[in-house]
Amino acid sequence: MAEQRGLGAAHAGMFPNLRRDVAFPVVGVGLLFGAFIAVGLLYQSLFSGAAERLVTIALIDAIIVLGIQIYVGNTGVLSFGHIGFGAIAGYTFAIFAIAPAEKAKRIPDAPFGLTNVDVGSWAAVAIAVAVTVVVAVFVGIGLARSGAESGAVAATVITLALLFVTHEVARHWPEMTGGERAGLSFRIGGALDTRVPIYLALAGALVLARLFAQSRRGRLAKAGREDDLAARAMGVNPMVQQMIALLISVVVVSIGASLRVYETGSILPENFFFNYTLLTLAMLIVGGRNSVTGALFGVAVMTVGRELARRLGQDGFEVFGLGLDSAPLDWIFRENLQTVFFGVAMLGFMIWRPKGLLSDWEFDDWLYRRFTRTQSPPEVPEASMDSEQDARLEVDNVSVVFGGFQALSQSGVEVSSGEVVGIIGPNGAGKTTLLNIITGIITPSSGQVRLNGTDLVGTPSHEIARAGLVRTFQNLRLFGSLTVRENVQVTRLVAIAEHDDRSTPETDVLVAAAGLWDQRDRRAGELDYGNSRRLELARAAAARPLFLLLDEPTSGMSDTESLAMVEQVQTMAALVGAGVVVIDHDLDFITGICDRIYCLDRGSVIAVGTPDEIQADPAVQAAYLGSSAS
Amino acid sequence: MTELLQNLIDGLGRGSIYALLALGVAVIFGVMHLLNFAHGELITVSGYVAFWTISEGWSWYLVTPIIIGTAIVTSLVIERVAFSRVRGSSDFTLLLTSFGVHFVVSAIFLLYVSASVKTFSRPRWVTNTYSIGSLHIEVFDTVVIGVTLVTLLATSWLVQRTMFGLALRAAAADFDTARLMGVRSDTVIRGAFALSGLLAGIAGVFWLMRAGNTVPSAGIAPMLKGVLAALIGGLGSLRGAVLGGFVLGLAEVLLRSRLPDSVASLTEGFVFLLIALLFIFRPQGLIRVAHAERV
């Protein structure tokens, strides 16, 4: 259960649990790799001739699809641009790897004297990777900026634009690329004599893809994939994770693309354009984009499907010697059937099974659960090792206007460590707005939010979270397809990087403290309402914040559940040593848990005091009951 | 100065077509948050209809309404067959669905018609020009700009002054609330697809008149122009889409005429580069649309 048994913090920082996140994935992908190759070799020995090349192509496709999976699967951003990166890598590789004598025929006047450059194939791969990564850095900056403003859709269009730019340049820069018709080529009939480099690259791609998904960075990226806003509120900056995922995936795609060019022996603009984009994306989608196992499975399934479609198109129904009279169908099953096949497969899966055949199932994850004994829940300590944090949160005179509506006017709240402060008020009083201001989701038109004297207004959400203000969401924004444990772990990983490792409670302790031990391996999206609320609390607490900001933690709960929540909040706050600011409607809950209460009405603070004082306050009664008692 | 004026007129002509395409993309993005990569397929289908009818000897006056009708019907069919089934899905699913539609449509033409270029005769006046002072103006550009202005005014009236327009704007602002308020989602979405088809049809007529041919992959270029222009303008903004179309047209004409001959063939590449720069410095596009997200 201890997450880093005697291992250095560096390991713990990169991989939460070496057995689960490194050992099992490596063994798992090793077995997958073996199975994939075995199926390929078996097929090859059964159907000789063209089968060998079919398998070679599938192996290379697998490398490129895995490269795309690293980005698309972990960040959730759809990229049409990876084949564009492939084109850049492919051409760079060809220009550097082809012998000067061959180049003199096609591109005698290449700029920078590239015609006479002769570096050998393996150096050419390295150069191709380097050049493509440099381009990817610039594309990544554009993606991050537009993605932050306009969401994933804008990012996708940028990747599409990249695909077109590379295609345009490849077509219209014949001095460098050999142009649209001739292209660049090695000697006739392919240049790669052995499959060893392909095997090595595929094994490497598999290991890299799996390890990245399990690494700290990969987990943070997945949090952003699940819910960008919630990830930011937990201290994750999805843009940084997306950039890292992009660069790693581009390295893999570049190597795959170089091998593809080397194996084919030539490159044309068409080789790395729309059709190949469709083919690779369809493989990824059909198999399951959020899973490495799925990506590999998708390559296998679609390769078989394509081959069947091709034969159907060529021979009608006489596939594999099965002769059927198919004359009426000949009109439908004709040559090039495989192009329709890929489009229809993609469309069909998007409509009926958008998560693909395997969804996010991982072979090594299954192995891990198979070969790991059930654990008993860890003991939950009373309080954290250093709960004597001394912090002060001051919200001073903040105002905000939404299109003419004064949501908050000159409101202020002060909280110190060890305190539990409640904010009550009728609907529309501005409670959630206040929380949104504190956590940087809304910028106030005036006023300050100070944490230990530092003004946080204008600071990005994820930095505010790291500074120690972490919230829950009234409308539940869990990382739905991650497990309960992973939800808590993500925030904890941020906390570990930010604070001293030891003082942040273990993931399992937090899960147990939230009463979710039995549910720990379920997806957060499958939890019932009460458990989802408890997980929201545990996830926020895992950041080990100075202040926990709870937005209606009992909303939708029964009276008994609400009462249990009082204890839960107190346990969690004590465990991580955090002060609490809680918003709620439920007066019993609020008075049961709070030391002090602020009452908001129509954007202004109308009363402050102990629970008893607040309950007796006539202005509060008026606001709540709508009576004209005052 | 004259050259600049000439560029301006050429750019307006080109930009008009892009504006119509972008507006069609933006209308659909508004009602279902779908960026329609299949938008160009309306022109692919129309292109084959134009080829078949014109090679039968029909005149362009007759073919024009047929093309527009084809685009509207195709738009509605695509909505019915594919997009209606993924309403409310994630951006990822929506994007790939439209990408899939694009491929299936073009692959069907590739398979069951022909991979080769099908040419048809263009109306004679397309290449005519007339002069004002030292400016040479294409009759074609004049017609395009005129028709586009009328279309944009009519669309603006439709969106601002009719019940359908109100429903469309309400749905674009907040689809769920609009539904609760009694806006019928089916009607609005189908209406949006019909409007988008109509706009693509008008743009398609001009596109095909100028091209005089079609291939299975003919939809890629107009799709890309429409999508990029909508993005330049600011996704979700109808006004932005129109503006984006004109900006894109002008940028292309200016670059093509100003770039040295040696790199003129890379104009499209430079346009993309400019767009990339725009997004780095102004990631929300020209017109910012508030994305309301409830927290």
Side-chain angles (χ1 to χ4, degrees):
Chain A
M1 274 152 287
E3 278 191 66
Q4 325 88 27
R5 276 173 204 136
L7 290 160
H11 290 285
M14 207 152 155
F15 295 100
N17 177 332
L18 286 185
R19 182 167 180 265
R20 178 166 206 164
D21 298 323
V22 179
F24 268 86
V26 169
V27 172
V29 296
L31 293 172
L32 281 179
F33 176 73
F36 194 74
I37 306 277
V39 170
L41 292 178
L42 183 70
Y43 178 84
Q44 202 175 308
S45 63
L46 287 178
F47 307 91
S48 52
E52 190 176 336
R53 192 164 146 70
L54 186 83
V55 173
T56 309
I57 290 170
L59 291 169
I60 294 173
D61 287 345
I63 299 168
I64 292 176
V65 170
L66 284 166
I68 301 174
Q69 194 276 335
I70 293 175
Y71 182 70
V72 174
N74 291 299
T75 69
V77 179
L78 173 61
S79 167
F80 292 123
H82 275 68
I83 297 307
F85 288 123
I88 296 170
Y91 274 107
T92 312
F93 170 75
I95 288 165
F96 280 91
I98 294 174
E102 292 290 327
K103 274 190 282 194
K105 295 179 199 159
R106 294 280 170 78
I107 47 168
D109 307 315
F112 319 117
L114 285 170
T115 311
N116 299 314
V117 169
D118 192 3
V119 298
S121 314
W122 306 120
V125 175
I127 294 169
V129 171
V131 168
T132 316
V133 165
V134 170
V135 176
V137 169
F138 287 103
V139 174
I141 293 170
L143 286 178
R145 287 192 53 95
S146 65
E149 281 288 340
S150 324
V153 175
T156 300
V157 177
I158 291 180
T159 63
L160 185 68
L162 173 79
L163 182 66
F164 277 89
V165 180
T166 52
H167 187 65
E168 281 296 313
V169 173
R171 281 174 61 201
H172 296 299
W173 198 9
E175 296 86 359
M176 194 72 143
T177 63
E180 193 169 2
R181 306 241 171 258
L184 296 174
S185 61
F186 293 80
R187 56 194 156 76
I188 310 293
L192 196 59
D193 313 312
T194 161
R195 262 196 204 156
V196 174
I198 301 177
Y199 288 144
L200 285 176
L202 178 57
L206 274 166
V207 171
L208 201 57
R210 255 327 264 146
L211 288 189
F212 178 71
Q214 295 301 109
S215 72
R216 174 174 180 275
R217 290 292 180 191
R219 286 170 185 279
L220 300 187
K222 279 187 271 189
R225 172 190 86 191
E226 293 297 311
D227 190 325
D228 189 80
L229 192 114
R232 286 169 196 279
M234 298 303 131
V236 179
N237 183 358
M239 294 307 144
V240 174
Q241 321 311 331
Q242 284 178 13
M243 180 63 116
I244 292 165
L246 180 70
L247 296 184
I248 296 176
S249 83
V250 161
V251 169
V252 175
V253 168
S254 302
I255 293 171
S258 302
L259 285 169
R260 188 163 184 252
V261 173
Y262 207 12
E263 197 277 333
T264 319
S266 62
I267 181 168
L268 283 170
E270 269 315 302
N271 297 153
F272 289 93
F273 194 45
F274 247 44
N275 285 336
Y276 198 55
T277 302
L278 171 74
L279 184 126
T280 46
L281 278 178
M283 285 171 165
L284 182 61
I285 299 312
V286 167
R289 64 179 186 270
N290 290 347
S291 150
V292 173
T293 315
L296 200 62
F297 189 53
V299 173
V301 169
M302 293 306 277
T303 302
V304 172
R306 173 175 58 178
E307 184 61 8
L308 279 174
R310 193 182 65 78
R311 292 194 180 202
L312 261 178
Q314 260 174 14
D315 318 328
F317 260 116
E318 287 174 41
V319 181
F320 302 116
L322 280 172
L324 286 170
D325 178 25
S326 62
L329 293 171
D330 277 353
W331 193 82
I332 297 174
F333 298 115
R334 53 167 71 187
E335 220 135 324
N336 287 325
L337 191 67
Q338 63 269 33
T339 51
V340 180
F341 167 73
F342 274 94
V344 170
M346 174 178 283
L347 203 53
F349 268 85
M350 278 300 114
I351 291 172
W352 287 293
R353 202 177 162 88
K355 292 199 156 164
L357 291 170
L358 296 189
S359 186
D360 54 3
W361 185 85
E362 289 289 2
F363 177 59
D364 59 77
D365 190 47
W366 177 81
L367 277 182
Y368 176 84
R369 275 184 274 114
R370 198 76 217 279
F371 292 99
T372 305
R373 270 170 294 152
T374 45
Q375 303 166 325
S376 52
E379 220 167 280
V380 179
E382 291 262 310
S384 80
M385 287 164 243
D386 62 342
S387 57
E388 312 91 43
Q389 307 193 66
D390 188 21
R392 188 166 176 75
L393 172 65
E394 296 157 295
V395 181
D396 195 8
N397 261 326
V398 293
S399 301
V400 69
V401 180
F402 294 135
F405 172 70
Q406 183 94 32
L408 272 181
S409 77
Q410 306 193 330
S411 303
V413 172
E414 292 181 13
V415 202
S416 300
S417 303
E419 263 192 315
V420 179
V421 167
I423 298 174
I424 59 168
N427 278 330
K431 305 185 297 291
T432 296
T433 305
L434 189 65
L435 212 57
N436 285 344
I437 288 173
I438 297 175
T439 51
I441 293 171
I442 298 172
T443 309
S445 40
S446 67
Q448 288 194 325
V449 177
R450 287 191 300 271
L451 181 63
N452 294 333
T454 316
D455 187 12
L456 295 176
V457 169
T459 312
S461 272
H462 63 270
E463 285 177 25
I464 291 180
R466 285 187 214 166
L469 301 175
V470 181
R471 67 176 296 170
T472 64
F473 291 91
Q474 179 189 346
N475 51 356
L476 295 174
R477 301 186 76 120
L478 294 166
F479 304 132
S481 67
L482 304 188
T483 66
V484 168
R485 223 176 152 281
E486 286 170 328
N487 265 271
V488 175
Q489 190 176 44
V490 165
T491 355
R492 186 173 178 277
L493 288 172
V494 179
I496 291 175
E498 207 56 30
H499 312 288
D500 174 19
D501 193 353
R502 284 151 207 275
S503 53
T504 309
E506 302 284 349
T507 304
D508 285 341
V509 171
L510 287 157
V511 171
L516 293 168
W517 181 253
D518 294 333
Q519 325 268 349
R520 66 189 182 282
D521 287 326
R522 287 183 67 186
R523 282 169 215 272
E526 297 166 359
L527 293 181
D528 63 31
Y529 207 71
N531 281 333
S532 299
R533 291 247 168 257
R534 282 185 272 278
L535 180 54
E536 277 266 354
L537 176 65
R539 182 181 67 173
R544 207 175 65 115
L546 298 173
F547 292 98
L548 269 171
L549 313 169
L550 311 178
D551 194 355
E552 305 214 8
T554 68
S555 149
M557 281 185 161
S558 68
D559 288 352
T560 24
E561 279 182 313
S562 291
L563 277 179
M565 200 65 186
V566 171
E567 201 183 321
Q568 203 111 51
V569 170
Q570 284 165 340
T571 314
M572 280 296 177
L575 193 60
V576 296
V580 177
V581 177
V582 56
I583 289 175
D584 219 300
H585 280 298
D586 188 335
L587 269 179
D588 288 338
F589 170 73
I590 284 280
T591 50
I593 192 171
C594 292
D595 304 315
R596 277 189 309 126
I597 297 174
Y598 288 77
C599 182
L600 280 181
D601 189 29
R602 284 175 236 162
S604 304
V605 175
I606 57 167
V608 192
T610 63
D612 291 339
E613 288 167 2
I614 286 289
Q615 277 179 312
D617 194 296
V620 175
Q621 287 173 359
Y624 253 83
L625 305 171
S627 72
S628 47
S630 56
Chain B
M1 186 60 209
T2 317
E3 200 192 342
L4 195 67
L5 213 58
Q6 182 76 53
N7 289 160
L8 195 69
I9 293 167
D10 295 345
L12 277 178
R14 196 178 273 259
S16 293
I17 300 178
Y18 298 169
L20 292 174
L21 290 167
L23 189 56
V25 170
V27 164
I28 291 177
F29 188 83
V31 292
M32 63 182 289
H33 215 259
L34 163 79
L35 191 62
N36 192 1
F37 290 124
H39 197 59
E41 296 319 295
L42 305 180
I43 291 181
T44 311
V45 178
S46 302
Y48 281 96
V49 170
F51 164 69
W52 287 319
T53 50
I54 288 171
S55 51
E56 288 291 317
W58 299 21
S59 88
W60 268 98
Y61 296 104
L62 197 58
V63 171
T64 296
I66 294 176
I67 288 177
I68 296 174
T70 307
I72 297 174
V73 171
T74 309
S75 182
L76 288 171
V77 168
I78 289 176
E79 194 275 333
R80 193 58 190 262
V81 172
F83 296 141
S84 68
R85 296 165 200 272
V86 292
R87 264 184 220 168
S89 297
S90 65
D91 285 350
F92 195 99
T93 303
L94 290 170
L95 286 167
L96 270 185
T97 305
S98 69
F99 195 61
V101 170
H102 159 83
F103 264 101
V104 171
V105 174
S106 57
I108 285 173
F109 282 105
L110 178 70
L111 227 69
Y112 300 114
V113 182
S114 164
S116 62
V117 179
K118 299 286 185 196
T119 52
F120 41 84
S121 63
R122 309 190 295 173
R124 210 156 283 164
W125 53 269
V126 164
T127 47
N128 291 354
T129 58
Y130 60 93
S131 303
I132 300 176
S134 54
L135 291 175
H136 298 284
I137 302 171
E138 290 188 12
V139 176
F140 182 71
D141 275 344
T142 319
V143 174
V144 169
I145 294 169
V147 172
T148 302
L149 279 180
V150 173
T151 311
L152 292 179
L153 285 175
T155 310
S156 165
W157 173 82
L158 184 78
V159 171
Q160 300 295 337
R161 296 266 184 271
T162 63
M163 276 309 286
F164 168 71
L166 182 66
L168 198 71
R169 281 182 292 140
D174 186 337
F175 193 74
D176 294 326
T177 311
R179 266 173 68 171
L180 291 177
M181 296 298 126
V183 171
R184 295 192 46 171
S185 56
D186 273 352
T187 320
V188 179
I189 289 180
R190 282 189 203 134
F193 272 90
L195 177 60
S196 168
L198 171 73
L199 295 167
I202 297 170
V205 170
F206 295 137
W207 190 281
L208 296 165
M209 277 183 176
R210 175 150 268 176
N213 65 55
T214 191
V215 278
S217 59
I220 294 180
M223 173 274 279
L224 205 62
K225 306 293 182 193
V227 166
L228 281 176
L231 197 70
I232 291 171
L235 266 182
S237 159
L238 301 186
R239 244 168 246 157
V242 173
L243 183 65
F246 285 115
V247 168
L248 184 62
L250 275 174
E252 281 185 12
V253 168
L254 281 174
L255 274 175
R256 203 176 293 273
S257 74
R258 299 300 151 94
L259 283 174
D261 288 344
S262 58
V263 289
S265 58
L266 289 174
T267 304
E268 298 253 321
F270 283 104
V271 172
F272 282 123
L273 202 66
L274 280 184
I275 294 172
L277 287 177
L278 172 79
F279 282 116
I280 288 177
F281 292 107
R282 201 177 161 78
Q284 68 275 29
L286 297 174
I287 293 181
R288 191 194 192 107
V289 183
H291 290 284
E293 189 168 23
R294 274 182 65 83
V295 177

PDB file of all heavy atoms in Angstrom, chain A residues 33 110 115 143 214 223 440 451 487 501 596 602 611 624:
ATOM      1  N   PHE A  33       3.359  -7.488 -27.807  1.00  0.00           N
ATOM      2  CA  PHE A  33       4.294  -7.398 -28.928  1.00  0.00           C
ATOM      3  C   PHE A  33       4.511  -8.788 -29.514  1.00  0.00           C
ATOM      4  O   PHE A  33       4.404  -9.001 -30.729  1.00  0.00           O
ATOM      5  CB  PHE A  33       5.600  -6.784 -28.425  1.00  0.00           C
ATOM      6  CG  PHE A  33       6.694  -6.719 -29.445  1.00  0.00           C
ATOM      7  CD1 PHE A  33       6.631  -5.807 -30.482  1.00  0.00           C
ATOM      8  CD2 PHE A  33       7.794  -7.557 -29.353  1.00  0.00           C
ATOM      9  CE1 PHE A  33       7.650  -5.731 -31.421  1.00  0.00           C
ATOM     10  CE2 PHE A  33       8.814  -7.492 -30.286  1.00  0.00           C
ATOM     11  CZ  PHE A  33       8.744  -6.573 -31.321  1.00  0.00           C
ATOM     12  N   ALA A 110      18.960  21.121 -54.973  1.00  0.00           N
ATOM     13  CA  ALA A 110      18.386  21.298 -53.645  1.00  0.00           C
ATOM     14  C   ALA A 110      19.107  22.404 -52.902  1.00  0.00           C
ATOM     15  O   ALA A 110      20.324  22.541 -53.009  1.00  0.00           O
ATOM     16  CB  ALA A 110      18.483  19.999 -52.847  1.00  0.00           C
ATOM     17  N   THR A 115      21.867  18.279 -51.847  1.00  0.00           N
ATOM     18  CA  THR A 115      22.023  17.228 -52.848  1.00  0.00           C
ATOM     19  C   THR A 115      23.233  16.345 -52.540  1.00  0.00           C
ATOM     20  O   THR A 115      23.207  15.143 -52.728  1.00  0.00           O
ATOM     21  CB  THR A 115      22.204  17.855 -54.250  1.00  0.00           C
ATOM     22  OG1 THR A 115      21.178  18.820 -54.423  1.00  0.00           O
ATOM     23  CG2 THR A 115      22.118  16.801 -55.330  1.00  0.00           C
ATOM     24  N   LEU A 143      -1.308  25.336 -30.663  1.00  0.00           N
ATOM     25  CA  LEU A 143      -2.372  24.479 -30.142  1.00  0.00           C
ATOM     26  C   LEU A 143      -2.738  24.884 -28.728  1.00  0.00           C
ATOM     27  O   LEU A 143      -3.906  24.988 -28.377  1.00  0.00           O
ATOM     28  CB  LEU A 143      -1.915  23.019 -30.124  1.00  0.00           C
ATOM     29  CG  LEU A 143      -1.841  22.295 -31.443  1.00  0.00           C
ATOM     30  CD1 LEU A 143      -1.313  20.886 -31.224  1.00  0.00           C
ATOM     31  CD2 LEU A 143      -3.204  22.230 -32.081  1.00  0.00           C
ATOM     32  N   GLN A 214       1.066   5.818 -17.904  1.00  0.00           N
ATOM     33  CA  GLN A 214       1.093   5.540 -16.461  1.00  0.00           C
ATOM     34  C   GLN A 214       1.901   6.570 -15.680  1.00  0.00           C
ATOM     35  O   GLN A 214       1.854   6.583 -14.457  1.00  0.00           O
ATOM     36  CB  GLN A 214       1.693   4.152 -16.201  1.00  0.00           C
ATOM     37  CG  GLN A 214       0.867   3.000 -16.736  1.00  0.00           C
ATOM     38  CD  GLN A 214      -0.524   2.964 -16.141  1.00  0.00           C
ATOM     39  OE1 GLN A 214      -1.500   3.255 -16.817  1.00  0.00           O
ATOM     40  NE2 GLN A 214      -0.627   2.626 -14.857  1.00  0.00           N
ATOM     41  N   ALA A 223      -6.219  13.802 -16.848  1.00  0.00           N
ATOM     42  CA  ALA A 223      -7.143  14.623 -16.060  1.00  0.00           C
ATOM     43  C   ALA A 223      -7.670  15.758 -16.929  1.00  0.00           C
ATOM     44  O   ALA A 223      -8.868  16.053 -16.941  1.00  0.00           O
ATOM     45  CB  ALA A 223      -6.448  15.159 -14.816  1.00  0.00           C
ATOM     46  N   GLY A 440     -10.137  31.755  -9.315  1.00  0.00           N
ATOM     47  CA  GLY A 440      -9.584  32.282 -10.560  1.00  0.00           C
ATOM     48  C   GLY A 440     -10.369  31.939 -11.806  1.00  0.00           C
ATOM     49  O   GLY A 440      -9.907  32.164 -12.918  1.00  0.00           O
ATOM     50  N   LEU A 451      -4.015  35.574  -0.299  1.00  0.00           N
ATOM     51  CA  LEU A 451      -3.646  34.387   0.468  1.00  0.00           C
ATOM     52  C   LEU A 451      -2.325  34.713   1.151  1.00  0.00           C
ATOM     53  O   LEU A 451      -1.327  34.958   0.482  1.00  0.00           O
ATOM     54  CB  LEU A 451      -3.501  33.181  -0.465  1.00  0.00           C
ATOM     55  CG  LEU A 451      -3.152  31.870   0.230  1.00  0.00           C
ATOM     56  CD1 LEU A 451      -4.237  31.443   1.186  1.00  0.00           C
ATOM     57  CD2 LEU A 451      -2.913  30.782  -0.810  1.00  0.00           C
ATOM     58  N   ASN A 487      -8.563   9.359  -9.638  1.00  0.00           N
ATOM     59  CA  ASN A 487      -9.033  10.724  -9.421  1.00  0.00           C
ATOM     60  C   ASN A 487      -8.278  11.377  -8.270  1.00  0.00           C
ATOM     61  O   ASN A 487      -7.837  12.518  -8.370  1.00  0.00           O
ATOM     62  CB  ASN A 487     -10.533  10.716  -9.086  1.00  0.00           C
ATOM     63  CG  ASN A 487     -11.398  10.941 -10.312  1.00  0.00           C
ATOM     64  OD1 ASN A 487     -11.706  12.069 -10.660  1.00  0.00           O
ATOM     65  ND2 ASN A 487     -11.764   9.858 -10.977  1.00  0.00           N
ATOM     66  N   ASP A 501       7.063  15.590  -0.080  1.00  0.00           N
ATOM     67  CA  ASP A 501       6.431  14.325  -0.357  1.00  0.00           C
ATOM     68  C   ASP A 501       5.745  13.685   0.855  1.00  0.00           C
ATOM     69  O   ASP A 501       4.617  13.216   0.797  1.00  0.00           O
ATOM     70  CB  ASP A 501       7.549  13.419  -0.888  1.00  0.00           C
ATOM     71  CG  ASP A 501       7.019  12.180  -1.523  1.00  0.00           C
ATOM     72  OD1 ASP A 501       5.809  11.965  -1.428  1.00  0.00           O
ATOM     73  OD2 ASP A 501       7.817  11.457  -2.097  1.00  0.00           O
ATOM     74  N   ARG A 596     -17.768  29.985  11.980  1.00  0.00           N
ATOM     75  CA  ARG A 596     -18.343  31.290  11.673  1.00  0.00           C
ATOM     76  C   ARG A 596     -19.113  31.183  10.365  1.00  0.00           C
ATOM     77  O   ARG A 596     -18.803  30.349   9.525  1.00  0.00           O
ATOM     78  CB  ARG A 596     -17.241  32.348  11.512  1.00  0.00           C
ATOM     79  CG  ARG A 596     -16.769  32.922  12.840  1.00  0.00           C
ATOM     80  CD  ARG A 596     -15.837  34.110  12.632  1.00  0.00           C
ATOM     81  NE  ARG A 596     -14.766  33.806  11.715  1.00  0.00           N
ATOM     82  CZ  ARG A 596     -14.485  34.523  10.627  1.00  0.00           C
ATOM     83  NH1 ARG A 596     -15.209  35.587  10.337  1.00  0.00           N
ATOM     84  NH2 ARG A 596     -13.475  34.210   9.845  1.00  0.00           N
ATOM     85  N   ARG A 602     -28.240  38.943  -2.480  1.00  0.00           N
ATOM     86  CA  ARG A 602     -28.132  39.817  -3.664  1.00  0.00           C
ATOM     87  C   ARG A 602     -26.747  40.431  -3.821  1.00  0.00           C
ATOM     88  O   ARG A 602     -26.598  41.637  -4.003  1.00  0.00           O
ATOM     89  CB  ARG A 602     -29.184  40.922  -3.608  1.00  0.00           C
ATOM     90  CG  ARG A 602     -30.561  40.381  -3.960  1.00  0.00           C
ATOM     91  CD  ARG A 602     -31.627  41.412  -3.803  1.00  0.00           C
ATOM     92  NE  ARG A 602     -32.659  40.964  -2.901  1.00  0.00           N
ATOM     93  CZ  ARG A 602     -33.537  41.772  -2.311  1.00  0.00           C
ATOM     94  NH1 ARG A 602     -33.474  43.062  -2.501  1.00  0.00           N
ATOM     95  NH2 ARG A 602     -34.463  41.279  -1.528  1.00  0.00           N
ATOM     96  N   PRO A 611     -22.759  30.478  14.384  1.00  0.00           N
ATOM     97  CA  PRO A 611     -24.040  29.896  13.953  1.00  0.00           C
ATOM     98  C   PRO A 611     -25.232  30.421  14.759  1.00  0.00           C
ATOM     99  O   PRO A 611     -26.275  30.723  14.167  1.00  0.00           O
ATOM    100  CB  PRO A 611     -23.818  28.408  14.191  1.00  0.00           C
ATOM    101  CG  PRO A 611     -22.356  28.211  14.011  1.00  0.00           C
ATOM    102  CD  PRO A 611     -21.708  29.463  14.521  1.00  0.00           C
ATOM    103  N   TYR A 624     -33.813  34.703   3.984  1.00  0.00           N
ATOM    104  CA  TYR A 624     -34.105  33.296   3.779  1.00  0.00           C
ATOM    105  C   TYR A 624     -35.583  33.027   3.636  1.00  0.00           C
ATOM    106  O   TYR A 624     -36.017  32.272   2.783  1.00  0.00           O
ATOM    107  CB  TYR A 624     -33.545  32.471   4.943  1.00  0.00           C
ATOM    108  CG  TYR A 624     -32.354  31.701   4.507  1.00  0.00           C
ATOM    109  CD1 TYR A 624     -31.102  32.291   4.466  1.00  0.00           C
ATOM    110  CD2 TYR A 624     -32.485  30.389   4.062  1.00  0.00           C
ATOM    111  CE1 TYR A 624     -30.020  31.604   4.027  1.00  0.00           C
ATOM    112  CE2 TYR A 624     -31.392  29.690   3.620  1.00  0.00           C
ATOM    113  CZ  TYR A 624     -30.154  30.299   3.599  1.00  0.00           C
ATOM    114  OH  TYR A 624     -29.092  29.616   3.156  1.00  0.00           O
TER     115      TYR A 624
END
